[in-house]
C-alpha cells in the first residue's frame, strides 16, 4: 500500500511564506533603485518631481522595512488593507512616472508593414534615377 508524506506543518509553511515575501521585497528594492532615476528624470518640474521623489522615498523605505522586519511588520500590513492600498498607490505613481514616452501618432496608427513600405518608397523616390 503506498504511503503519502504528511502535509507540511503550519510553522514550516509560515517560514516559507516569510522567505518568499523577503525575496519579493528584495526584488522590489532592486527594481525601485533601477527605476528611480528614470522616474525622476521624466517627472515634470515642480510639484510633479516632488510627488515622484516622495513616492520613491516611501516605497523604497517601506520595502526595506518589510524586507528587514517581515515578522514584525508583515502581519500589520496584512491586517490593515488601507496600508496595502497606500503602498499600491505609491507604486503605481512610480510606474506611471517612469513609463517611456509614447510613440509618435504616425507610428501608433499605421501598421508596421505599411510604415516599412512607405519608408522604402520614399527612399526610392528621393534617390535620383540610375542611368544604365
Amino acid at each position: 500500500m503506498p504511503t503519502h508524506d504528511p502535509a507540511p506543518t503550519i510553522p514550516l509553511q509560515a517560514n516559507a511564506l516569510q522567505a518568499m515575501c523577503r525575496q519579493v521585497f528584495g526584488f522590489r528594492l532592486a527594481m525601485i533603485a533601477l527605476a528611480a532615476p528614470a522616474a525622476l528624470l521624466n517627472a515634470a518640474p515642480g510639484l510633479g518631481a516632488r510627488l515622484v521623489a516622495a513616492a520613491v522615498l516611501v516605497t523604497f523605505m517601506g520595502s526595506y522595512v518589510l524586507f528587514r522586519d517581515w515578522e514584525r511588520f508583515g502581519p500589520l500590513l496584512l491586517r490593515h488593507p488601507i496600508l496595502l492600498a497606500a503602498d499600491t498607490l505609491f507604486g503605481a505613481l512610480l510606474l506611471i512616472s517612469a513609463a517611456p514616452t509614447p510613440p509618435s501618432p504616425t507610428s501608433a496608427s499605421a501598421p508596421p508593414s505599411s510604415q516599412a513600405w512607405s519608408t522604402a518608397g520614399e527612399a526610392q523616390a528621393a534617390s535620383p534615377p540610375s542611368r544604365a
Side-chain angles (χ1 to χ4, degrees):
M1 200 167 172
T3 60
H4 297 287
D5 292 332
T9 62
I10 297 297
L12 181 62
Q13 291 176 352
N15 287 339
L17 178 63
Q18 288 177 0
M20 183 185 69
C21 287
R22 284 180 186 233
Q23 292 295 319
V24 167
F25 283 110
F27 178 76
R28 186 175 172 186
L29 280 170
M31 292 299 106
I32 291 170
L34 288 174
L40 290 170
L41 287 175
N42 288 339
L47 182 62
R50 288 186 179 135
L51 285 174
V52 171
V56 166
L57 183 66
V58 168
T59 54
F60 189 84
M61 292 307 296
S63 293
Y64 177 71
V65 165
L66 289 168
F67 176 72
R68 190 186 63 175
D69 294 326
W70 175 258
E71 295 87 9
R72 192 164 86 179
F73 294 111
L76 177 72
L77 183 71
L78 297 175
R79 272 195 311 259
H80 300 288
I82 194 75
L83 294 175
L84 282 173
D87 182 59
T88 304
L89 179 70
F90 284 118
L93 179 61
L94 283 180
L95 287 174
I96 290 168
S97 64
T101 58
S104 68
T106 306
S107 64
S109 62
S113 60
S114 67
Q115 288 176 355
W117 179 260
S118 66
T119 305
E122 290 168 1
Q124 189 176 25
S127 64
S130 61
R131 297 187 186 232

